Amino acid sequence: MTAYDRRERERAERHQLIVRTARDLAEDEGWEAVTVRKLAALIEYSQPVLYSHFANRDAIVAAVALEGFEELAGELREAPRNAEGPIEAFTAVVGAYAAFAAAHPALYDAMFTHATGLPFGRSEAPEQLKEAFTALAGPVGEVSGRHDPETFTELVWTALHGLVTLTRSGRLRPDLAEERLDLLITLMLAGERV
């Protein structure tokens, strides 16, 4: 291994350490606790070292978000593997999305509520975003009926995001979370025939 290779490997490891530490800190204390100064102290590097990897805090949040989209894509691809038909696959992927958001609240916030500058829905979107959308769009598109599959997927995603966000923020009755998700699935599947 050359000195250059070693430096590049160490740089990649440091990059990942910054992302992992930011994510862990956000899950433990919320995103407001994630500052460049605090991250530098936690990973025992100077702030200029962090700035050599990321332009600012938003860039760190974006890196965490990309990790999240990669993980979400994996879970959405896995969810319908044993489904017996398109309706069961749709139900599985919707449930997996909601479960992911509930299990990873700070990660979900990085992906969908914090400023990241990530270009959603455009050709220059990072592969992680495209893969997550594709993993959702596959099963959702199968039940889109006469509607455009991508537009139907965007609508399902919008409804899921709203449901997840309002549930997590305590703005909906907590004892009806499962019933709401079931009703959303029923209504979206009914839209297939409209």
mmCIF file with all atom_site columns, all heavy atoms in Angstrom, residues 40-64:
data_model
loop_
_atom_site.group_PDB
_atom_site.id
_atom_site.type_symbol
_atom_site.label_atom_id
_atom_site.label_alt_id
_atom_site.label_comp_id
_atom_site.label_asym_id
_atom_site.label_entity_id
_atom_site.label_seq_id
_atom_site.pdbx_PDB_ins_code
_atom_site.Cartn_x
_atom_site.Cartn_y
_atom_site.Cartn_z
_atom_site.occupancy
_atom_site.B_iso_or_equiv
_atom_site.pdbx_formal_charge
_atom_site.auth_seq_id
_atom_site.auth_comp_id
_atom_site.auth_asym_id
_atom_site.auth_atom_id
_atom_site.pdbx_PDB_model_num
ATOM 1   N N   . ALA A 1 40 ? -16.239 17.935 16.449 1.00 0.00 ? 40 ALA A N   1
ATOM 2   C CA  . ALA A 1 40 ? -14.777 17.958 16.511 1.00 0.00 ? 40 ALA A CA  1
ATOM 3   C C   . ALA A 1 40 ? -14.301 17.457 17.865 1.00 0.00 ? 40 ALA A C   1
ATOM 4   O O   . ALA A 1 40 ? -13.356 16.658 17.957 1.00 0.00 ? 40 ALA A O   1
ATOM 5   C CB  . ALA A 1 40 ? -14.250 19.366 16.232 1.00 0.00 ? 40 ALA A CB  1
ATOM 6   N N   . ALA A 1 41 ? -14.956 17.892 18.915 1.00 0.00 ? 41 ALA A N   1
ATOM 7   C CA  . ALA A 1 41 ? -14.570 17.456 20.259 1.00 0.00 ? 41 ALA A CA  1
ATOM 8   C C   . ALA A 1 41 ? -14.819 15.963 20.444 1.00 0.00 ? 41 ALA A C   1
ATOM 9   O O   . ALA A 1 41 ? -13.977 15.250 21.009 1.00 0.00 ? 41 ALA A O   1
ATOM 10  C CB  . ALA A 1 41 ? -15.339 18.250 21.312 1.00 0.00 ? 41 ALA A CB  1
ATOM 11  N N   . LEU A 1 42 ? -15.951 15.480 19.953 1.00 0.00 ? 42 LEU A N   1
ATOM 12  C CA  . LEU A 1 42 ? -16.290 14.062 20.126 1.00 0.00 ? 42 LEU A CA  1
ATOM 13  C C   . LEU A 1 42 ? -15.350 13.127 19.364 1.00 0.00 ? 42 LEU A C   1
ATOM 14  O O   . LEU A 1 42 ? -15.009 12.058 19.865 1.00 0.00 ? 42 LEU A O   1
ATOM 15  C CB  . LEU A 1 42 ? -17.737 13.802 19.696 1.00 0.00 ? 42 LEU A CB  1
ATOM 16  C CG  . LEU A 1 42 ? -18.807 14.322 20.634 1.00 0.00 ? 42 LEU A CG  1
ATOM 17  C CD1 . LEU A 1 42 ? -20.192 14.214 19.995 1.00 0.00 ? 42 LEU A CD1 1
ATOM 18  C CD2 . LEU A 1 42 ? -18.776 13.550 21.958 1.00 0.00 ? 42 LEU A CD2 1
ATOM 19  N N   . ILE A 1 43 ? -14.961 13.525 18.158 1.00 0.00 ? 43 ILE A N   1
ATOM 20  C CA  . ILE A 1 43 ? -14.092 12.635 17.383 1.00 0.00 ? 43 ILE A CA  1
ATOM 21  C C   . ILE A 1 43 ? -12.604 12.957 17.578 1.00 0.00 ? 43 ILE A C   1
ATOM 22  O O   . ILE A 1 43 ? -11.748 12.295 17.011 1.00 0.00 ? 43 ILE A O   1
ATOM 23  C CB  . ILE A 1 43 ? -14.444 12.634 15.877 1.00 0.00 ? 43 ILE A CB  1
ATOM 24  C CG1 . ILE A 1 43 ? -14.194 13.998 15.245 1.00 0.00 ? 43 ILE A CG1 1
ATOM 25  C CG2 . ILE A 1 43 ? -15.871 12.173 15.659 1.00 0.00 ? 43 ILE A CG2 1
ATOM 26  C CD1 . ILE A 1 43 ? -14.317 13.988 13.748 1.00 0.00 ? 43 ILE A CD1 1
ATOM 27  N N   . GLU A 1 44 ? -12.346 13.984 18.371 1.00 0.00 ? 44 GLU A N   1
ATOM 28  C CA  . GLU A 1 44 ? -10.991 14.387 18.735 1.00 0.00 ? 44 GLU A CA  1
ATOM 29  C C   . GLU A 1 44 ? -10.139 14.796 17.526 1.00 0.00 ? 44 GLU A C   1
ATOM 30  O O   . GLU A 1 44 ? -8.989  14.408 17.377 1.00 0.00 ? 44 GLU A O   1
ATOM 31  C CB  . GLU A 1 44 ? -10.309 13.283 19.553 1.00 0.00 ? 44 GLU A CB  1
ATOM 32  C CG  . GLU A 1 44 ? -11.052 12.996 20.853 1.00 0.00 ? 44 GLU A CG  1
ATOM 33  C CD  . GLU A 1 44 ? -10.440 11.867 21.650 1.00 0.00 ? 44 GLU A CD  1
ATOM 34  O OE1 . GLU A 1 44 ? -9.625  11.091 21.113 1.00 0.00 ? 44 GLU A OE1 1
ATOM 35  O OE2 . GLU A 1 44 ? -10.800 11.760 22.843 1.00 0.00 ? 44 GLU A OE2 1
ATOM 36  N N   . TYR A 1 45 ? -10.772 15.599 16.662 1.00 0.00 ? 45 TYR A N   1
ATOM 37  C CA  . TYR A 1 45 ? -10.075 16.251 15.557 1.00 0.00 ? 45 TYR A CA  1
ATOM 38  C C   . TYR A 1 45 ? -10.412 17.727 15.635 1.00 0.00 ? 45 TYR A C   1
ATOM 39  O O   . TYR A 1 45 ? -11.437 18.107 16.218 1.00 0.00 ? 45 TYR A O   1
ATOM 40  C CB  . TYR A 1 45 ? -10.531 15.704 14.198 1.00 0.00 ? 45 TYR A CB  1
ATOM 41  C CG  . TYR A 1 45 ? -9.931  14.368 13.838 1.00 0.00 ? 45 TYR A CG  1
ATOM 42  C CD1 . TYR A 1 45 ? -10.647 13.194 14.030 1.00 0.00 ? 45 TYR A CD1 1
ATOM 43  C CD2 . TYR A 1 45 ? -8.655  14.278 13.308 1.00 0.00 ? 45 TYR A CD2 1
ATOM 44  C CE1 . TYR A 1 45 ? -10.107 11.960 13.697 1.00 0.00 ? 45 TYR A CE1 1
ATOM 45  C CE2 . TYR A 1 45 ? -8.102  13.048 12.973 1.00 0.00 ? 45 TYR A CE2 1
ATOM 46  C CZ  . TYR A 1 45 ? -8.830  11.900 13.174 1.00 0.00 ? 45 TYR A CZ  1
ATOM 47  O OH  . TYR A 1 45 ? -8.288  10.689 12.842 1.00 0.00 ? 45 TYR A OH  1
ATOM 48  N N   . SER A 1 46 ? -9.619  18.553 15.016 1.00 0.00 ? 46 SER A N   1
ATOM 49  C CA  . SER A 1 46 ? -9.891  19.982 15.031 1.00 0.00 ? 46 SER A CA  1
ATOM 50  C C   . SER A 1 46 ? -11.041 20.310 14.067 1.00 0.00 ? 46 SER A C   1
ATOM 51  O O   . SER A 1 46 ? -11.334 19.541 13.147 1.00 0.00 ? 46 SER A O   1
ATOM 52  C CB  . SER A 1 46 ? -8.639  20.761 14.625 1.00 0.00 ? 46 SER A CB  1
ATOM 53  O OG  . SER A 1 46 ? -8.340  20.505 13.266 1.00 0.00 ? 46 SER A OG  1
ATOM 54  N N   . GLN A 1 47 ? -11.649 21.469 14.285 1.00 0.00 ? 47 GLN A N   1
ATOM 55  C CA  . GLN A 1 47 ? -12.713 21.903 13.384 1.00 0.00 ? 47 GLN A CA  1
ATOM 56  C C   . GLN A 1 47 ? -12.228 22.034 11.942 1.00 0.00 ? 47 GLN A C   1
ATOM 57  O O   . GLN A 1 47 ? -12.951 21.639 11.024 1.00 0.00 ? 47 GLN A O   1
ATOM 58  C CB  . GLN A 1 47 ? -13.314 23.220 13.875 1.00 0.00 ? 47 GLN A CB  1
ATOM 59  C CG  . GLN A 1 47 ? -14.146 23.039 15.134 1.00 0.00 ? 47 GLN A CG  1
ATOM 60  C CD  . GLN A 1 47 ? -14.785 24.324 15.587 1.00 0.00 ? 47 GLN A CD  1
ATOM 61  O OE1 . GLN A 1 47 ? -15.362 25.056 14.781 1.00 0.00 ? 47 GLN A OE1 1
ATOM 62  N NE2 . GLN A 1 47 ? -14.681 24.620 16.876 1.00 0.00 ? 47 GLN A NE2 1
ATOM 63  N N   . PRO A 1 48 ? -11.003 22.548 11.694 1.00 0.00 ? 48 PRO A N   1
ATOM 64  C CA  . PRO A 1 48 ? -10.532 22.604 10.309 1.00 0.00 ? 48 PRO A CA  1
ATOM 65  C C   . PRO A 1 48 ? -10.478 21.223 9.637  1.00 0.00 ? 48 PRO A C   1
ATOM 66  O O   . PRO A 1 48 ? -10.702 21.114 8.430  1.00 0.00 ? 48 PRO A O   1
ATOM 67  C CB  . PRO A 1 48 ? -9.141  23.230 10.427 1.00 0.00 ? 48 PRO A CB  1
ATOM 68  C CG  . PRO A 1 48 ? -9.229  24.085 11.658 1.00 0.00 ? 48 PRO A CG  1
ATOM 69  C CD  . PRO A 1 48 ? -10.102 23.302 12.599 1.00 0.00 ? 48 PRO A CD  1
ATOM 70  N N   . VAL A 1 49 ? -10.222 20.184 10.415 1.00 0.00 ? 49 VAL A N   1
ATOM 71  C CA  . VAL A 1 49 ? -10.226 18.836 9.824  1.00 0.00 ? 49 VAL A CA  1
ATOM 72  C C   . VAL A 1 49 ? -11.638 18.492 9.355  1.00 0.00 ? 49 VAL A C   1
ATOM 73  O O   . VAL A 1 49 ? -11.825 17.962 8.255  1.00 0.00 ? 49 VAL A O   1
ATOM 74  C CB  . VAL A 1 49 ? -9.695  17.780 10.820 1.00 0.00 ? 49 VAL A CB  1
ATOM 75  C CG1 . VAL A 1 49 ? -9.953  16.366 10.316 1.00 0.00 ? 49 VAL A CG1 1
ATOM 76  C CG2 . VAL A 1 49 ? -8.211  17.993 11.085 1.00 0.00 ? 49 VAL A CG2 1
ATOM 77  N N   . LEU A 1 50 ? -12.646 18.814 10.173 1.00 0.00 ? 50 LEU A N   1
ATOM 78  C CA  . LEU A 1 50 ? -14.028 18.556 9.755  1.00 0.00 ? 50 LEU A CA  1
ATOM 79  C C   . LEU A 1 50 ? -14.370 19.366 8.508  1.00 0.00 ? 50 LEU A C   1
ATOM 80  O O   . LEU A 1 50 ? -15.014 18.855 7.589  1.00 0.00 ? 50 LEU A O   1
ATOM 81  C CB  . LEU A 1 50 ? -15.010 18.872 10.885 1.00 0.00 ? 50 LEU A CB  1
ATOM 82  C CG  . LEU A 1 50 ? -15.328 17.695 11.788 1.00 0.00 ? 50 LEU A CG  1
ATOM 83  C CD1 . LEU A 1 50 ? -14.186 17.377 12.719 1.00 0.00 ? 50 LEU A CD1 1
ATOM 84  C CD2 . LEU A 1 50 ? -16.596 17.942 12.556 1.00 0.00 ? 50 LEU A CD2 1
ATOM 85  N N   . TYR A 1 51 ? -13.912 20.623 8.496  1.00 0.00 ? 51 TYR A N   1
ATOM 86  C CA  . TYR A 1 51 ? -14.190 21.460 7.336  1.00 0.00 ? 51 TYR A CA  1
ATOM 87  C C   . TYR A 1 51 ? -13.431 20.999 6.093  1.00 0.00 ? 51 TYR A C   1
ATOM 88  O O   . TYR A 1 51 ? -13.813 21.345 4.980  1.00 0.00 ? 51 TYR A O   1
ATOM 89  C CB  . TYR A 1 51 ? -13.896 22.937 7.640  1.00 0.00 ? 51 TYR A CB  1
ATOM 90  C CG  . TYR A 1 51 ? -14.959 23.566 8.505  1.00 0.00 ? 51 TYR A CG  1
ATOM 91  C CD1 . TYR A 1 51 ? -14.639 24.109 9.742  1.00 0.00 ? 51 TYR A CD1 1
ATOM 92  C CD2 . TYR A 1 51 ? -16.284 23.627 8.084  1.00 0.00 ? 51 TYR A CD2 1
ATOM 93  C CE1 . TYR A 1 51 ? -15.610 24.700 10.543 1.00 0.00 ? 51 TYR A CE1 1
ATOM 94  C CE2 . TYR A 1 51 ? -17.261 24.210 8.882  1.00 0.00 ? 51 TYR A CE2 1
ATOM 95  C CZ  . TYR A 1 51 ? -16.912 24.736 10.102 1.00 0.00 ? 51 TYR A CZ  1
ATOM 96  O OH  . TYR A 1 51 ? -17.891 25.318 10.896 1.00 0.00 ? 51 TYR A OH  1
ATOM 97  N N   . SER A 1 52 ? -12.393 20.212 6.259  1.00 0.00 ? 52 SER A N   1
ATOM 98  C CA  . SER A 1 52 ? -11.708 19.663 5.087  1.00 0.00 ? 52 SER A CA  1
ATOM 99  C C   . SER A 1 52 ? -12.526 18.531 4.460  1.00 0.00 ? 52 SER A C   1
ATOM 100 O O   . SER A 1 52 ? -12.305 18.158 3.309  1.00 0.00 ? 52 SER A O   1
ATOM 101 C CB  . SER A 1 52 ? -10.303 19.174 5.453  1.00 0.00 ? 52 SER A CB  1
ATOM 102 O OG  . SER A 1 52 ? -10.350 17.953 6.181  1.00 0.00 ? 52 SER A OG  1
ATOM 103 N N   . HIS A 1 53 ? -13.485 18.004 5.211  1.00 0.00 ? 53 HIS A N   1
ATOM 104 C CA  . HIS A 1 53 ? -14.373 16.952 4.710  1.00 0.00 ? 53 HIS A CA  1
ATOM 105 C C   . HIS A 1 53 ? -15.725 17.509 4.279  1.00 0.00 ? 53 HIS A C   1
ATOM 106 O O   . HIS A 1 53 ? -16.318 17.011 3.316  1.00 0.00 ? 53 HIS A O   1
ATOM 107 C CB  . HIS A 1 53 ? -14.608 15.897 5.799  1.00 0.00 ? 53 HIS A CB  1
ATOM 108 C CG  . HIS A 1 53 ? -13.439 15.019 6.046  1.00 0.00 ? 53 HIS A CG  1
ATOM 109 N ND1 . HIS A 1 53 ? -13.228 13.841 5.374  1.00 0.00 ? 53 HIS A ND1 1
ATOM 110 C CD2 . HIS A 1 53 ? -12.382 15.154 6.892  1.00 0.00 ? 53 HIS A CD2 1
ATOM 111 C CE1 . HIS A 1 53 ? -12.115 13.279 5.800  1.00 0.00 ? 53 HIS A CE1 1
ATOM 112 N NE2 . HIS A 1 53 ? -11.578 14.058 6.716  1.00 0.00 ? 53 HIS A NE2 1
ATOM 113 N N   . PHE A 1 54 ? -16.232 18.483 5.014  1.00 0.00 ? 54 PHE A N   1
ATOM 114 C CA  . PHE A 1 54 ? -17.575 19.019 4.778  1.00 0.00 ? 54 PHE A CA  1
ATOM 115 C C   . PHE A 1 54 ? -17.533 20.540 4.815  1.00 0.00 ? 54 PHE A C   1
ATOM 116 O O   . PHE A 1 54 ? -16.906 21.113 5.698  1.00 0.00 ? 54 PHE A O   1
ATOM 117 C CB  . PHE A 1 54 ? -18.544 18.526 5.865  1.00 0.00 ? 54 PHE A CB  1
ATOM 118 C CG  . PHE A 1 54 ? -18.711 17.031 5.879  1.00 0.00 ? 54 PHE A CG  1
ATOM 119 C CD1 . PHE A 1 54 ? -18.006 16.249 6.777  1.00 0.00 ? 54 PHE A CD1 1
ATOM 120 C CD2 . PHE A 1 54 ? -19.564 16.409 4.975  1.00 0.00 ? 54 PHE A CD2 1
ATOM 121 C CE1 . PHE A 1 54 ? -18.155 14.869 6.788  1.00 0.00 ? 54 PHE A CE1 1
ATOM 122 C CE2 . PHE A 1 54 ? -19.720 15.032 4.979  1.00 0.00 ? 54 PHE A CE2 1
ATOM 123 C CZ  . PHE A 1 54 ? -19.013 14.255 5.882  1.00 0.00 ? 54 PHE A CZ  1
ATOM 124 N N   . ALA A 1 55 ? -18.231 21.172 3.885  1.00 0.00 ? 55 ALA A N   1
ATOM 125 C CA  . ALA A 1 55 ? -18.231 22.628 3.806  1.00 0.00 ? 55 ALA A CA  1
ATOM 126 C C   . ALA A 1 55 ? -18.888 23.270 5.030  1.00 0.00 ? 55 ALA A C   1
ATOM 127 O O   . ALA A 1 55 ? -18.491 24.343 5.452  1.00 0.00 ? 55 ALA A O   1
ATOM 128 C CB  . ALA A 1 55 ? -18.947 23.083 2.544  1.00 0.00 ? 55 ALA A CB  1
ATOM 129 N N   . ASN A 1 56 ? -19.897 22.584 5.580  1.00 0.00 ? 56 ASN A N   1
ATOM 130 C CA  . ASN A 1 56 ? -20.634 23.141 6.718  1.00 0.00 ? 56 ASN A CA  1
ATOM 131 C C   . ASN A 1 56 ? -21.492 22.042 7.351  1.00 0.00 ? 56 ASN A C   1
ATOM 132 O O   . ASN A 1 56 ? -21.471 20.895 6.904  1.00 0.00 ? 56 ASN A O   1
ATOM 133 C CB  . ASN A 1 56 ? -21.499 24.331 6.274  1.00 0.00 ? 56 ASN A CB  1
ATOM 134 C CG  . ASN A 1 56 ? -22.390 23.970 5.094  1.00 0.00 ? 56 ASN A CG  1
ATOM 135 O OD1 . ASN A 1 56 ? -22.924 22.866 5.004  1.00 0.00 ? 56 ASN A OD1 1
ATOM 136 N ND2 . ASN A 1 56 ? -22.541 24.910 4.175  1.00 0.00 ? 56 ASN A ND2 1
ATOM 137 N N   . ARG A 1 57 ? -22.241 22.416 8.358  1.00 0.00 ? 57 ARG A N   1
ATOM 138 C CA  . ARG A 1 57 ? -23.097 21.459 9.064  1.00 0.00 ? 57 ARG A CA  1
ATOM 139 C C   . ARG A 1 57 ? -24.129 20.850 8.122  1.00 0.00 ? 57 ARG A C   1
ATOM 140 O O   . ARG A 1 57 ? -24.432 19.660 8.199  1.00 0.00 ? 57 ARG A O   1
ATOM 141 C CB  . ARG A 1 57 ? -23.784 22.155 10.239 1.00 0.00 ? 57 ARG A CB  1
ATOM 142 C CG  . ARG A 1 57 ? -24.704 21.252 11.022 1.00 0.00 ? 57 ARG A CG  1
ATOM 143 C CD  . ARG A 1 57 ? -25.423 22.074 12.106 1.00 0.00 ? 57 ARG A CD  1
ATOM 144 N NE  . ARG A 1 57 ? -26.379 21.292 12.848 1.00 0.00 ? 57 ARG A NE  1
ATOM 145 C CZ  . ARG A 1 57 ? -27.625 21.050 12.461 1.00 0.00 ? 57 ARG A CZ  1
ATOM 146 N NH1 . ARG A 1 57 ? -28.064 21.529 11.314 1.00 0.00 ? 57 ARG A NH1 1
ATOM 147 N NH2 . ARG A 1 57 ? -28.430 20.338 13.222 1.00 0.00 ? 57 ARG A NH2 1
ATOM 148 N N   . ASP A 1 58 ? -24.711 21.664 7.235  1.00 0.00 ? 58 ASP A N   1
ATOM 149 C CA  . ASP A 1 58 ? -25.711 21.143 6.295  1.00 0.00 ? 58 ASP A CA  1
ATOM 150 C C   . ASP A 1 58 ? -25.131 20.027 5.430  1.00 0.00 ? 58 ASP A C   1
ATOM 151 O O   . ASP A 1 58 ? -25.835 19.072 5.085  1.00 0.00 ? 58 ASP A O   1
ATOM 152 C CB  . ASP A 1 58 ? -26.264 22.258 5.406  1.00 0.00 ? 58 ASP A CB  1
ATOM 153 C CG  . ASP A 1 58 ? -27.162 23.228 6.158  1.00 0.00 ? 58 ASP A CG  1
ATOM 154 O OD1 . ASP A 1 58 ? -27.545 22.929 7.320  1.00 0.00 ? 58 ASP A OD1 1
ATOM 155 O OD2 . ASP A 1 58 ? -27.477 24.286 5.593  1.00 0.00 ? 58 ASP A OD2 1
ATOM 156 N N   . ALA A 1 59 ? -23.876 20.142 5.071  1.00 0.00 ? 59 ALA A N   1
ATOM 157 C CA  . ALA A 1 59 ? -23.234 19.090 4.266  1.00 0.00 ? 59 ALA A CA  1
ATOM 158 C C   . ALA A 1 59 ? -23.093 17.801 5.071  1.00 0.00 ? 59 ALA A C   1
ATOM 159 O O   . ALA A 1 59 ? -23.200 16.700 4.514  1.00 0.00 ? 59 ALA A O   1
ATOM 160 C CB  . ALA A 1 59 ? -21.874 19.567 3.773  1.00 0.00 ? 59 ALA A CB  1
ATOM 161 N N   . ILE A 1 60 ? -22.880 17.929 6.365  1.00 0.00 ? 60 ILE A N   1
ATOM 162 C CA  . ILE A 1 60 ? -22.824 16.741 7.232  1.00 0.00 ? 60 ILE A CA  1
ATOM 163 C C   . ILE A 1 60 ? -24.204 16.108 7.306  1.00 0.00 ? 60 ILE A C   1
ATOM 164 O O   . ILE A 1 60 ? -24.349 14.887 7.182  1.00 0.00 ? 60 ILE A O   1
ATOM 165 C CB  . ILE A 1 60 ? -22.293 17.107 8.630  1.00 0.00 ? 60 ILE A CB  1
ATOM 166 C CG1 . ILE A 1 60 ? -20.842 17.591 8.532  1.00 0.00 ? 60 ILE A CG1 1
ATOM 167 C CG2 . ILE A 1 60 ? -22.402 15.911 9.582  1.00 0.00 ? 60 ILE A CG2 1
ATOM 168 C CD1 . ILE A 1 60 ? -20.303 18.221 9.813  1.00 0.00 ? 60 ILE A CD1 1
ATOM 169 N N   . VAL A 1 61 ? -25.230 16.929 7.470  1.00 0.00 ? 61 VAL A N   1
ATOM 170 C CA  . VAL A 1 61 ? -26.600 16.417 7.513  1.00 0.00 ? 61 VAL A CA  1
ATOM 171 C C   . VAL A 1 61 ? -26.940 15.722 6.198  1.00 0.00 ? 61 VAL A C   1
ATOM 172 O O   . VAL A 1 61 ? -27.555 14.650 6.181  1.00 0.00 ? 61 VAL A O   1
ATOM 173 C CB  . VAL A 1 61 ? -27.609 17.543 7.831  1.00 0.00 ? 61 VAL A CB  1
ATOM 174 C CG1 . VAL A 1 61 ? -29.049 17.038 7.752  1.00 0.00 ? 61 VAL A CG1 1
ATOM 175 C CG2 . VAL A 1 61 ? -27.339 18.150 9.201  1.00 0.00 ? 61 VAL A CG2 1
ATOM 176 N N   . ALA A 1 62 ? -26.499 16.296 5.084  1.00 0.00 ? 62 ALA A N   1
ATOM 177 C CA  . ALA A 1 62 ? -26.748 15.677 3.774  1.00 0.00 ? 62 ALA A CA  1
ATOM 178 C C   . ALA A 1 62 ? -26.072 14.316 3.675  1.00 0.00 ? 62 ALA A C   1
ATOM 179 O O   . ALA A 1 62 ? -26.653 13.366 3.133  1.00 0.00 ? 62 ALA A O   1
ATOM 180 C CB  . ALA A 1 62 ? -26.265 16.594 2.656  1.00 0.00 ? 62 ALA A CB  1
ATOM 181 N N   . ALA A 1 63 ? -24.866 14.195 4.195  1.00 0.00 ? 63 ALA A N   1
ATOM 182 C CA  . ALA A 1 63 ? -24.172 12.907 4.176  1.00 0.00 ? 63 ALA A CA  1
ATOM 183 C C   . ALA A 1 63 ? -24.909 11.869 5.017  1.00 0.00 ? 63 ALA A C   1
ATOM 184 O O   . ALA A 1 63 ? -25.032 10.703 4.627  1.00 0.00 ? 63 ALA A O   1
ATOM 185 C CB  . ALA A 1 63 ? -22.731 13.067 4.666  1.00 0.00 ? 63 ALA A CB  1
ATOM 186 N N   . VAL A 1 64 ? -25.426 12.303 6.163  1.00 0.00 ? 64 VAL A N   1
ATOM 187 C CA  . VAL A 1 64 ? -26.235 11.406 6.996  1.00 0.00 ? 64 VAL A CA  1
ATOM 188 C C   . VAL A 1 64 ? -27.505 11.016 6.230  1.00 0.00 ? 64 VAL A C   1
ATOM 189 O O   . VAL A 1 64 ? -27.907 9.844  6.226  1.00 0.00 ? 64 VAL A O   1
ATOM 190 C CB  . VAL A 1 64 ? -26.580 12.065 8.350  1.00 0.00 ? 64 VAL A CB  1
ATOM 191 C CG1 . VAL A 1 64 ? -27.602 11.232 9.125  1.00 0.00 ? 64 VAL A CG1 1
ATOM 192 C CG2 . VAL A 1 64 ? -25.314 12.272 9.187  1.00 0.00 ? 64 VAL A CG2 1
#
